[in-house]
Amino acid sequence: MKKNILLFGLFIVTLSINAQSLLSEKSNFTHQDTLRGSITPERVWWDLTYYHLDIKVNPEEKFISGKNTIQYKVLKNDSVMQIDLQSPLKITKVVQNGKQLEVKDDGNAHFISLQDNQNINDINSIDVYYEGQPREAVNAPWDGGISWKKDNKGKPFIASSCQGLGASVWWPCKDHMYDEVDSMLISVNVPSKLMNVSNGRLRKVEQIGDTKTYSWFVKNPINNYGVNINIGDYVNFSEIYDGMAGNLDMDYYVLRDNLEKAKEHFKDAPKMMKAFEHWFGQYPFYADSFKLVEVPYLGMEHQSSVTYGNQYKKGYLGHDLSGTGWGLKFDFIIIHEAGHEWFANNITYKDIADMWIHESFTAYSENLFLDYYFGKEASADYVIGTRKAIRNDKPIIGHYNVNNEGSGDMYYKGANMLHTLRQLIEDDEKWRKILRGLNTTFYHQTVTTQQIEDYIREQTGIDLTEFFNQYLRTTKIPTLEYSIIGKELKYRWTNIVDKFDMPIQVTIGEKEQWLFPKAEWKSLELDSKNTDFSVDRDFYVEAKKI
C-alpha cells in the first residue's frame, strides 16, 4: 500500500511539472519574448481573414516545404507586417501581387515591407514561402514541435503540437492568440501510403505521382496552436451524434492495428458530448465536425481534430489523478482534451498569461463529466482528490505581453476554485446557465481574464473581486482560524488578500450553516459547550484551530 501511495504521489508531481512546462519558467524576459508575446505595431494594423497552408511533408528527411497564403483586412494604413517563423525553418520569399518583397529578420519575427498601398478596409493577401527541418518535439505536447515517430510496423507516424511554443515552430503565421483567422484551408502532401488528418472537414484528396495531397477546410475561426497535421497509416470509422444543433459527424482516425480496440474504447466520446452539451451548451463547431485522431504523444486540444495518445486506457495513462477511483471511470484524454473545444477553442485567451481560462475550466470539466453520469458526490470526491497536485508555487496568472503562462496550478487549483464558486452560488441550475452563458456570450472569441470575471460577477450578483484576486493572483490558501471556548466560537480569515470576506459553510454539532468571516475576529454563541466543528470540504480553504 505504501509503495502504491508513493508511486501515485510521484506521478502527481510529474504531471504538475509537465503541466507547467509548456514554456520555460523565467522571470527575466527578452526582446524575443516581447516580439512573440505582444501585439506589436506590425501586427495591430491588419486583421486575419483567411489562411491557405499548402505544404509538403517529407518523413524521411524530416523536412517541410511550401507556402502560406495569408489574407487580411487593412484596419489602418501601414506598410510593415510581422510574420513569425521559428528557426531552423527559413522564409525563402514573400510575394504580393507578383512582387517579391523585402524581409528583415529579427530572430523568429520577420518584418515584411509591402510595396502596394494598404488602404483601410481593403482585403489583401501575401504568399509566404518557407522550408526546412522544423524543431523536433522533445517531450510532446509540453515541449512540442513535430513528433517524427514510427508505428509498430515501421511506418512514419507524425504529428504537430505547439501550444505555448507557438504554431510558428512549423508554419509561418501571425503567431499571437488575440487574432484568430476566420477560416482556413490546410493542404498537406504526403507519401501515398500515408494519410494526413487536419482540422475541419476533408474537402478533397489529390493523387500526385507517388504522393497524395489531403485538403481540409476549417469553416470556423481557429487559433494558431489549434491547427495541426497528423500523418500515419490511418483508418477511419465514424458515427452521427444527435446533438443540440442536429446531426454532428463524429469521426475517428486511428492506426490500422488499433481499429477494433478504438471502436470499443472511443465510446467515451459520445458520452462526453452528451455531458458537455448539458453543462456548456452546444458543441461550438458543428460545421467542422468532431474528430479524435491517434497520435504518438499523449494528446492535445486541436480544434475539431482532438489528438489522442492515452494508450486506450482509462484514467491518465491508466492512473487516477484524484486517487479516489473515480478517475478510472473515463479516459482522461478524451474527456479533458475534448472539453477544450468549449474552453480553449470556442473561448480563447488573448494572452497566454490568462491560460487558466482554458485549463481551469477544462480540468473542472472532468468532474462535471462525473457529475452528469455518477452524481454530485462522485464529482466532488474527484475534484477534491486532485488537490494533491496543487503546488502553490506561483500565481495562476502569468506575465502579460511576453508569452508567459502562470503556474501549472491553473489545472487543479483552478478547478477547485470553480468548485468553490459553485458552492457560493448555491444554485446548480444557475451555475450551469453561467457556464453555458460564457460559451454563448464569448462564442468564437478571444478574451481576457477581466471579461470572464466581469461576466461571472454580473450573472451571480456577487462581488467576486477579492475571490478571484485570492485564487488567481496569489499563492495564498485562505485559512479559517477558529477557537471554541465554552459556548463561544471565535473565527476569522487569515492568509488572505485585503478585503477578502468569502462566506463559508460549516457544520457545528449536527447543524450546517453559513459563517461570514472577515480578517477581524467574529464570535458566535453556541448551543452547548465543546461542540464539534468542521468546514465543508467543497471549499478550497484550510481550517486551523487555535
Side-chain angles (χ1 to χ4, degrees):
M1 177 64 75
K2 287 183 179 179
K3 182 179 179 182
N4 287 339
I5 292 171
L6 287 171
L7 286 172
F8 177 76
L10 180 62
F11 181 77
I12 285 290
V13 170
T14 302
L15 170 68
S16 182
I17 291 170
N18 279 339
Q20 194 156 305
S21 60
L22 281 169
L23 297 170
S24 299
E25 290 188 53
K26 58 169 73 176
S27 56
N28 298 316
F29 300 100
T30 67
H31 172 62
Q32 283 297 307
D33 294 325
T34 300
L35 287 177
R36 172 78 172 81
S38 61
I39 304 172
T40 61
E42 295 81 9
R43 284 172 169 157
V44 74
W45 66 268
W46 55 285
D47 177 54
L48 276 170
T49 57
Y50 176 75
Y51 283 136
H52 179 195
L53 181 61
D54 187 3
I55 61 174
K56 179 182 180 70
V57 179
N58 184 328
E60 296 304 316
E61 302 295 328
K62 299 183 178 180
F63 195 86
I64 294 179
S65 60
K67 69 173 180 176
N68 188 19
T69 298
I70 302 172
Q71 186 187 85
Y72 59 94
K73 181 179 181 179
V74 179
L75 302 180
K76 63 179 183 179
N77 298 117
D78 210 316
S79 60
V80 181
M81 172 182 286
Q82 178 180 339
I83 296 297
D84 305 285
L85 185 67
Q86 297 180 34
S87 177
L89 294 173
K90 293 182 179 179
I91 293 176
T92 55
K93 66 178 178 178
V94 180
V95 176
Q96 184 171 60
N97 298 327
K99 302 170 187 175
Q100 188 163 333
L101 306 176
E102 180 185 6
V103 181
K104 292 183 178 179
D105 303 324
D106 187 349
N108 294 324
H110 310 276
F111 296 92
I112 300 163
S113 296
L114 305 174
Q115 297 179 20
D116 294 346
N117 290 333
Q118 305 295 310
N119 299 312
I120 293 175
N121 292 326
D122 278 359
I123 304 295
N124 299 328
S125 66
I126 60 171
D127 292 327
V128 181
Y129 293 80
Y130 78 110
E131 65 181 23
Q133 292 177 310
R135 181 185 193 275
E136 187 163 356
V138 177
N139 182 28
W142 301 283
D143 194 351
I146 302 295
S147 298
W148 305 94
K149 304 295 184 181
K150 303 278 188 180
D151 66 18
N152 290 336
K153 293 183 176 178
K155 295 181 179 180
F157 190 24
I158 301 162
S160 61
S161 59
C162 57
Q163 185 181 15
L165 179 61
S168 56
V169 74
W170 67 276
W171 59 287
C173 58
K174 186 180 189 178
D175 204 359
H176 194 289
M177 297 290 287
Y178 88 99
D179 190 7
E180 292 189 346
V181 72
D182 297 334
S183 61
M184 182 171 185
L185 181 62
I186 306 164
S187 300
V188 183
N189 179 263
V190 297
S192 285
K193 293 182 179 180
L194 301 175
M195 179 181 190
N196 173 70
V197 182
S198 289
N199 315 79
R201 293 182 183 272
L202 185 60
R203 177 173 279 185
K204 63 179 177 178
V205 181
E206 298 174 274
Q207 183 78 45
I208 305 170
D210 59 354
T211 67
K212 287 182 179 178
T213 297
Y214 292 84
S215 292
W216 296 82
F217 183 70
V218 184
K219 189 174 182 180
N220 291 291
I222 186 169
N223 67 58
N224 289 327
Y225 85 80
V227 176
N228 68 351
I229 53 172
N230 306 289
I231 300 166
D233 182 24
Y234 286 120
V235 291
N236 165 251
F237 67 101
S238 63
E239 60 186 316
I240 295 175
Y241 178 77
D242 182 12
M244 287 182 64
N247 289 339
L248 172 64
D249 293 319
M250 299 185 71
D251 273 280
Y252 311 103
Y253 291 86
V254 299
L255 293 181
R256 191 172 299 277
D257 288 350
N258 293 332
L259 178 60
E260 294 309 314
K261 187 190 303 184
K263 284 182 177 179
E264 179 61 31
H265 195 80
F266 284 3
K267 288 178 180 178
D268 267 359
K271 288 179 65 178
M272 169 279 302
M273 195 63 65
K274 185 175 182 180
F276 289 167
E277 286 206 326
H278 169 82
W279 281 109
F280 302 144
Q282 177 181 314
Y283 173 68
F285 307 108
Y286 271 75
D288 288 326
S289 77
F290 173 86
K291 295 188 293 297
L292 274 180
V293 187
E294 187 172 0
V295 291
Y297 62 86
L298 186 61
M300 196 70 195
E301 67 260 26
H302 301 109
Q303 184 174 307
S304 72
S305 181
V306 174
T307 51
Y308 176 85
N310 201 38
Q311 301 176 8
Y312 299 96
K313 295 178 179 179
K314 295 291 188 179
Y316 184 107
L317 293 171
H319 298 269
D320 173 11
L321 296 185
S322 73
T324 64
W326 291 113
L328 296 176
K329 297 294 185 181
F330 60 92
D331 185 306
F332 174 91
I333 291 299
I334 294 176
I335 304 310
H336 180 93
E337 301 304 342
H340 276 305
E341 293 280 45
W342 286 265
F343 291 96
N345 299 338
N346 185 36
I347 304 173
T348 308
Y349 57 68
K350 275 192 165 88
D351 190 303
I352 199 171
D354 290 334
M355 188 173 163
W356 77 273
I357 297 168
H358 294 198
E359 299 302 348
S360 296
F361 281 97
T362 305
Y364 182 64
S365 77
E366 297 158 26
N367 72 292
L368 290 182
F369 177 86
L370 287 168
D371 190 304
Y372 187 83
Y373 287 104
F374 299 99
K376 198 169 179 177
E377 285 303 303
S379 70
D381 286 347
Y382 179 83
V383 72
I384 292 166
T386 62
R387 291 176 187 170
K388 298 178 184 72
I390 299 172
R391 303 195 305 176
N392 280 308
D393 56 337
K394 61 180 181 177
I396 286 175
I397 292 178
H399 298 276
Y400 290 99
N401 300 317
V402 286
N403 198 40
N404 174 255
E405 92 264 13
S407 170
D409 284 347
M410 69 180 77
Y411 289 77
Y412 292 116
K413 182 178 179 181
N416 276 280
M417 175 189 74
L418 295 172
H419 185 64
T420 300
L421 181 56
R422 179 182 184 177
Q423 316 313 311
L424 295 176
I425 292 170
E426 292 189 277
D427 183 336
D428 286 349
E429 186 56 31
K430 185 175 184 178
W431 179 227
R432 184 168 77 105
K433 286 180 180 177
I434 289 170
L435 296 172
R436 285 176 158 225
L438 285 166
N439 278 282
T440 53
T441 301
F442 302 111
Y443 183 75
H444 292 176
Q445 292 182 36
T446 59
V447 301
T448 65
T449 287
Q450 197 60 55
Q451 287 176 279
I452 300 299
E453 286 188 34
D454 289 346
Y455 179 84
I456 295 174
R457 188 181 300 115
E458 290 165 5
Q459 297 302 311
T460 60
I462 304 171
D463 184 354
L464 295 164
T465 303
E466 284 73 35
F467 175 86
F468 285 119
N469 284 341
Q470 180 81 30
Y471 287 106
L472 294 178
R473 298 178 176 90
T474 79
T475 59
K476 299 176 180 179
I477 305 173
T479 301
L480 184 70
E481 288 189 347
Y482 70 96
S483 67
I484 300 176
I485 301 175
K487 290 186 177 183
E488 183 184 36
L489 168 68
K490 294 181 68 177
Y491 59 94
R492 69 173 180 180
W493 282 126
T494 62
N495 204 33
I496 53 173
V497 299
D498 188 39
K499 298 181 181 179
F500 183 87
D501 61 354
M502 181 179 77
I504 190 163
Q505 236 180 351
V506 300
T507 300
I508 301 174
E510 296 182 356
K511 180 183 177 183
E512 291 184 359
Q513 67 181 80
W514 285 91
L515 295 182
F516 299 87
K518 294 189 176 183
E520 301 79 25
W521 284 106
K522 299 179 79 171
S523 62
L524 178 68
E525 185 176 349
L526 305 177
D527 294 334
S528 60
K529 295 181 179 180
N530 303 318
T531 304
D532 290 336
F533 178 90
S534 63
V535 173
D536 189 328
R537 69 178 189 141
D538 290 315
F539 290 77
Y540 179 50
V541 300
E542 292 182 346
K544 181 180 179 182
K545 186 175 183 180
I546 60 172

